[in-house]
Coordinates of all heavy atoms in Angstrom, one line a residue:
M61 N -5.7 -6.7 -8.0 CA -4.2 -6.5 -7.8 C -3.8 -7.1 -6.3 O -4.7 -6.9 -5.4 CB -3.9 -5.0 -7.8 CG -4.0 -4.4 -9.3 SD -3.3 -2.7 -9.3 CE -4.8 -1.8 -8.4
I62 N -2.7 -7.5 -6.2 CA -2.0 -8.1 -5.0 C -0.8 -7.3 -4.7 O 0.0 -7.1 -5.8 CB -1.9 -9.5 -4.9 CG1 -3.2 -10.3 -4.9 CG2 -0.9 -9.9 -3.8 CD1 -3.0 -11.7 -4.9
L63 N -0.6 -6.8 -3.6 CA 0.7 -6.1 -3.2 C 1.3 -6.8 -2.0 O 0.8 -7.3 -1.1 CB 0.3 -4.6 -2.8 CG 1.4 -3.5 -3.0 CD1 1.8 -3.4 -4.5 CD2 0.9 -2.3 -2.4
G64 N 2.8 -6.9 -2.2 CA 3.5 -7.5 -1.1 C 3.5 -8.9 -1.1 O 3.0 -9.7 -2.0
D65 N 4.2 -9.5 0.0 CA 4.4 -11.0 0.1 C 3.9 -11.5 1.5 O 4.5 -11.2 2.4 CB 5.9 -11.3 -0.1 CG 6.2 -12.8 0.0 OD1 5.2 -13.6 0.2 OD2 7.3 -13.1 -0.3
A66 N 2.7 -12.0 1.5 CA 2.2 -12.4 2.7 C 2.9 -13.6 3.4 O 2.8 -13.8 4.6 CB 0.7 -12.9 2.5
S67 N 3.8 -14.3 2.7 CA 4.6 -15.4 3.2 C 5.8 -15.0 3.8 O 6.6 -15.7 4.5 CB 4.8 -16.4 2.1 OG 5.8 -15.9 1.2
R68 N 6.3 -13.7 3.7 CA 7.7 -13.2 4.1 C 7.6 -13.0 5.7 O 6.6 -12.4 6.2 CB 8.1 -11.9 3.4 CG 9.5 -11.6 3.8 CD 10.0 -10.3 3.0 NE 11.4 -10.1 3.2 CZ 12.4 -10.5 2.5 NH1 12.2 -11.1 1.4 NH2 13.6 -10.2 2.9
K69 N 8.6 -13.4 6.3 CA 8.8 -13.3 7.7 C 10.2 -12.8 8.1 O 10.5 -13.0 9.4 CB 8.4 -14.6 8.5 CG 6.9 -15.0 8.3 CD 6.6 -16.2 9.0 CE 5.0 -16.5 8.9 NZ 4.7 -16.7 7.6
T70 N 11.0 -12.3 7.2 CA 12.3 -11.8 7.4 C 12.4 -10.5 7.0 O 11.9 -10.1 5.9 CB 13.4 -12.8 6.8 OG1 13.2 -12.8 5.5 CG2 13.3 -14.2 7.4
A71 N 13.3 -9.7 7.7 CA 13.4 -8.3 7.3 C 14.2 -8.2 5.9 O 14.8 -9.0 5.6 CB 14.2 -7.4 8.4
W72 N 13.9 -7.0 5.2 CA 14.5 -6.8 4.0 C 16.0 -6.6 4.1 O 16.5 -5.9 5.0 CB 13.9 -5.6 3.2 CG 12.5 -5.9 3.0 CD1 11.4 -5.2 3.6 CD2 11.9 -6.6 1.9 NE1 10.2 -5.7 3.0 CE2 10.5 -6.4 1.9 CE3 12.5 -7.5 0.9 CZ2 9.6 -7.1 1.0 CZ3 11.6 -8.1 0.1 CH2 10.2 -8.0 0.1
E73 N 16.7 -7.2 3.1 CA 18.2 -6.9 3.1 C 18.4 -5.8 2.1 O 17.5 -5.4 1.3 CB 18.9 -8.1 2.3 CG 18.8 -9.4 3.3 CD 19.5 -9.3 4.6 OE1 20.4 -8.4 4.7 OE2 19.2 -10.0 5.5
S74 N 19.4 -4.9 2.3 CA 19.7 -3.8 1.5 C 19.8 -4.0 0.0 O 19.4 -3.1 -0.8 CB 21.0 -3.1 2.0 OG 22.1 -3.9 1.8
D75 N 20.0 -5.2 -0.4 CA 20.1 -5.5 -1.8 C 18.8 -6.0 -2.5 O 18.8 -6.2 -3.7 CB 21.4 -6.4 -2.3 CG 21.0 -7.8 -1.6 OD1 20.3 -7.8 -0.8 OD2 21.9 -8.7 -1.8
E76 N 17.8 -6.1 -1.6 CA 16.6 -6.5 -2.1 C 15.7 -5.3 -2.5 O 14.9 -5.0 -1.9 CB 15.8 -7.4 -1.1 CG 16.5 -8.7 -0.8 CD 15.7 -9.5 0.3 OE1 15.7 -9.1 1.4 OE2 15.2 -10.5 -0.1
T77 N 16.0 -4.8 -3.7 CA 15.3 -3.5 -4.2 C 14.2 -3.8 -5.1 O 13.3 -2.9 -5.4 CB 16.4 -2.7 -4.9 OG1 16.9 -3.3 -6.0 CG2 17.4 -2.2 -3.8
T78 N 14.0 -4.9 -5.7 CA 12.8 -5.2 -6.6 C 11.7 -5.7 -5.7 O 11.6 -7.0 -5.4 CB 13.2 -6.3 -7.6 OG1 14.4 -5.9 -8.4 CG2 12.1 -6.5 -8.5
R79 N 10.9 -4.9 -5.2 CA 9.7 -5.2 -4.5 C 8.7 -4.1 -4.5 O 8.9 -3.0 -5.1 CB 10.2 -5.4 -3.0 CG 11.1 -4.3 -2.4 CD 11.4 -4.6 -1.0 NE 12.7 -4.1 -0.6 CZ 12.9 -3.2 0.4 NH1 11.7 -2.7 1.0 NH2 14.0 -2.7 0.8
D80 N 7.5 -4.4 -3.9 CA 6.4 -3.4 -4.0 C 6.5 -2.2 -3.1 O 7.4 -2.2 -2.1 CB 5.1 -4.2 -3.8 CG 4.6 -5.1 -4.8 OD1 5.0 -4.8 -6.0 OD2 4.1 -6.2 -4.4
N81 N 5.9 -1.2 -3.4 CA 6.0 0.0 -2.7 C 5.2 0.1 -1.4 O 4.0 0.5 -1.4 CB 5.6 1.2 -3.6 CG 6.0 2.6 -3.1 OD1 6.1 2.7 -1.9 ND2 6.2 3.5 -3.9
I82 N 5.7 -0.7 -0.4 CA 5.1 -0.7 0.9 C 6.0 -0.1 2.0 O 7.2 -0.5 2.1 CB 4.7 -2.1 1.3 CG1 3.7 -2.6 0.3 CG2 4.1 -2.1 2.7 CD1 3.4 -4.2 0.5
R83 N 5.6 0.8 2.8 CA 6.5 1.4 3.8 C 5.6 1.5 5.1 O 4.4 1.6 5.1 CB 7.1 2.8 3.4 CG 6.1 3.8 3.0 CD 6.8 4.9 2.2 NE 5.8 5.9 1.6 CZ 5.5 7.0 2.2 NH1 6.0 7.4 3.3 NH2 4.5 7.7 1.5
W84 N 6.4 1.6 6.2 CA 5.7 1.8 7.6 C 6.1 3.2 8.0 O 7.3 3.6 8.0 CB 6.4 0.8 8.5 CG 5.7 -0.7 8.1 CD1 6.4 -1.6 7.4 CD2 4.5 -1.3 8.5 NE1 5.7 -2.7 7.2 CE2 4.5 -2.6 8.0 CE3 3.5 -0.9 9.4 CZ2 3.5 -3.5 8.2 CZ3 2.5 -1.7 9.6 CH2 2.4 -3.0 9.0
T85 N 5.0 3.9 8.4 CA 5.2 5.3 8.8 C 4.5 5.5 10.2 O 3.6 4.7 10.6 CB 4.7 6.2 7.7 OG1 3.2 5.9 7.5 CG2 5.4 6.1 6.5
L86 N 5.0 6.6 10.8 CA 4.4 7.1 12.0 C 3.5 8.3 11.8 O 4.0 9.3 11.2 CB 5.5 7.4 13.1 CG 6.5 6.3 13.4 CD1 7.6 6.8 14.2 CD2 5.8 5.1 14.0
I87 N 2.2 8.1 12.0 CA 1.2 9.2 11.7 C 1.5 10.5 12.1 O 2.0 10.7 13.3 CB -0.1 8.7 12.0 CG1 -1.2 9.6 11.4 CG2 -0.4 8.8 13.7 CD1 -2.7 9.1 11.5
G88 N 1.5 11.5 11.2 CA 1.8 12.9 11.5 C 3.3 13.2 11.8 O 3.5 14.3 12.1

Side-chain angles (χ1 to χ4, degrees):
M61 293 189 283
I62 288 180
L63 205 65
D65 182 357
S67 67
R68 189 176 182 101
K69 294 181 174 63
T70 57
W72 294 107
E73 299 292 341
S74 59
D75 61 348
E76 293 182 290
T77 58
T78 304
R79 48 184 154 112
D80 289 327
N81 193 329
I82 302 175
R83 58 196 168 102
W84 291 91
T85 56
L86 303 173
I87 191 168

